[in-house]
Amino acid sequence: MTTDLMALGIRLETVSIACMGTVVLLRAPAAARTPRQRSLWLALATATLAMGLSLAPVEDYIQRTTGLIHLADLVTNLCGVLSAAAILDLVAVTVSPGRQHSRARIRLAAVAFAVLATLLLMDVSARPHQRHTLVPPDGPTPSLCYWLILIGAHLVADAVSTTVCLRYGRRQASPSLRSSLWLFGLGTAFSCLYWLGSLLLALDRATWIPPVLPTLMGLHGLLRGTALAIPMIASARRSARAAAVCWKLWPLWRDLMQAVPSVLLQPPRSRMLELLWPRISWELLAYRKVVEIRDAVFVLKDRVPSAQLARIKERVRALDLSSTDRDALVMGCLLRAARDVTPGGTAGVVVRPYAHDSERQDIARLGGGNLSDDTTFLVRVAHDYRSPLAFGTNE
């Protein structure tokens, strides 16, 4: 059973390293652009490197090709300390405002440098050795003091990080941010358990501890990787929704831009090109199309005769629709009628703008009270704009 648990833990650790490595690569551009994300990215990157170097196949490859397995162990431990320091730096950014944050980062950098220098000096001055292990036949290598300093650094960083993540996670209104903080805190808690187990192993040499350690480290990596992937997943979902909005609004937007080209911010492009190679992000593109459609509505609402507008509203009132669907259908029919009497439209008839009145102003204001609701409303308008009732408005 012990062997099975060890094998399961090693497989889980391998999967977690793959997940963490993927997240590190995907989040590298955002970390390069955003200073506040760099500590988190560095923590995950150094932890991934440390865990990857400790995998048996990687160790075997390093030993066969270079023979520098001792150096690989040292780099693994130093990367672990860097990861712990990056986590504490993230905590300092979160809980320390202004100058306090700057002073905390300076103190943290000094402590991290001292720990790294101490470990390096202790390794160089120790008796000749190959591997960094806790339970060789002759005791911890390179020394028990080396391991106590390393374990202590991890325990302090993990305990503080777990506490802060769980505390701040409860306060977040955003479900994705709350989930990210809780998962990151839980993953860090498993790392804390790993190093507690390592401490017991160094002091007591309990035989039941080594089979459990890979599972703890695997859970730590998997949960941390998932925590950092949640914002990317949420961003991808927002982008996909915005792309879908752009696709649905495009036929209405194209016709209105042909009718009122003065509201265009940039020269139009084809629907497929706009979707596959947008000049700006899909979120901004969807926002721009909403704004341009709204600008066109304020122009076109005055191009429909009052009698025709009254017929449109009468036809729509005869249908069994909710108030929102009725408003969307009225605007869709109004835009179709206005489009048909402008240059380039179906009728090709130019008419003078009709006088402003409260009814036209009310129709122009139909829609949601915020950007999200207004976007949903205009998507419905784009659908109704192509309905049989809209095409029959000029009859």
Side-chain angles (χ1 to χ4, degrees):
M1 183 175 178
T2 300
T3 305
D4 293 341
L5 182 60
M6 176 74 80
L8 176 63
I10 292 174
R11 285 196 295 270
L12 182 62
E13 194 173 3
T14 304
V15 171
S16 70
I17 292 171
C19 293
M20 292 170 68
T22 302
V23 173
V24 165
L25 292 176
L26 292 176
R27 294 203 63 165
R33 293 191 305 266
T34 310
R36 291 181 65 88
Q37 294 190 24
R38 289 173 192 165
S39 295
L40 185 59
W41 184 87
L42 180 62
L44 195 67
T46 49
T48 303
L49 180 59
M51 292 173 64
L53 288 174
S54 65
L55 288 177
V58 177
E59 291 177 344
D60 293 342
Y61 177 78
I62 293 174
Q63 182 64 24
R64 287 197 315 269
T65 56
T66 66
L68 300 177
I69 190 62
H70 162 260
L71 182 59
D73 284 346
L74 179 60
V75 170
T76 297
N77 292 336
L78 296 182
C79 282
V81 174
L82 282 176
S83 178
I87 289 294
L88 288 178
D89 182 70
L90 178 65
V91 171
V93 171
T94 304
V95 302
S96 301
R99 294 181 179 178
Q100 293 182 11
H101 163 223
S102 299
R103 289 195 294 268
R105 296 189 80 175
I106 292 173
R107 290 194 293 268
L108 174 61
V111 172
F113 178 79
V115 172
L116 290 171
T118 300
L119 293 178
L120 185 60
L121 181 62
M122 294 179 71
D123 179 77
V124 172
S125 61
R127 66 182 186 275
H129 57 281
Q130 281 293 313
R131 302 303 309 272
H132 286 200
T133 55
L134 274 171
V135 285
D138 53 349
T141 304
S143 68
L144 178 60
C145 185
Y146 174 97
W147 279 102
L148 291 178
I149 293 174
L150 177 64
I151 293 171
H154 279 283
L155 285 177
V156 170
D158 290 343
V160 172
S161 175
T162 300
T163 302
V164 171
C165 286
L166 296 181
R167 178 186 300 170
Y168 278 79
R170 289 194 298 268
R171 302 177 184 176
Q172 302 305 315
S174 169
S176 62
L177 181 57
R178 184 167 59 248
S179 299
S180 294
L181 286 171
W182 281 26
L183 286 174
F184 195 88
L186 186 58
T188 308
F190 278 112
S191 175
C192 193
L193 290 176
Y194 173 90
W195 290 106
L196 279 174
S198 299
L199 179 61
L200 291 176
L201 190 61
L203 299 177
D204 190 42
R205 299 192 184 184
T207 56
W208 60 271
I209 294 178
V212 179
L213 295 182
T215 301
L216 294 175
M217 186 53 63
L219 290 171
H220 143 262
L222 198 59
L223 289 170
R224 275 190 177 180
T226 303
L228 268 70
I230 285 178
M232 292 192 305
I233 295 172
S235 177
R237 290 179 60 187
R238 288 193 301 270
S239 296
R241 286 196 296 267
V245 166
C246 293
W247 181 266
K248 293 173 182 177
L249 289 179
W250 196 88
L252 172 64
W253 172 85
R254 176 202 56 198
D255 286 358
L256 298 189
M257 295 310 102
Q258 289 173 354
V260 193
S262 60
V263 303
L264 268 173
L265 296 175
Q266 284 184 323
R269 301 196 300 171
S270 70
R271 190 181 194 182
M272 192 60 67
L273 189 64
E274 196 88 294
L275 183 68
L276 297 179
W277 289 281
R279 288 174 288 202
I280 53 179
S281 69
W282 284 317
E283 290 91 339
L284 286 176
L285 189 61
Y287 173 72
R288 178 175 290 181
K289 292 201 180 309
V290 168
V291 171
E292 290 173 338
I293 289 173
R294 277 296 177 185
D295 289 343
V297 168
F298 276 99
V299 176
L300 294 174
K301 64 181 173 55
D302 297 325
R303 293 184 177 177
V304 178
S306 299
Q308 189 176 12
L309 181 57
R311 287 198 304 271
I312 290 172
K313 298 186 73 173
E314 184 179 353
R315 290 183 180 184
V316 172
R317 275 197 299 266
L319 302 176
D320 184 18
L321 298 173
S322 66
S323 60
T324 302
D325 289 342
R326 188 181 300 116
D327 291 344
L329 185 54
V330 167
M331 184 175 286
C333 293
L334 172 69
L335 294 176
R336 172 61 66 181
R339 172 73 180 96
D340 285 348
V341 296
T342 54
T346 302
V349 179
V350 182
V351 299
R352 64 175 178 81
Y354 286 84
H356 291 279
D357 55 53
S358 60
E359 188 176 33
R360 295 175 192 276
Q361 296 298 330
D362 290 341
I363 291 177
R365 296 191 188 100
L366 294 177
N370 53 54
L371 178 61
S372 177
D373 292 342
D374 198 35
T375 301
T376 302
F377 177 77
L378 289 181
V379 168
R380 181 64 185 173
V381 170
H383 175 270
D384 292 337
Y385 175 78
R386 305 177 68 83
S387 67
L389 183 60
F391 277 105
T393 52
N394 287 318
E395 296 176 358

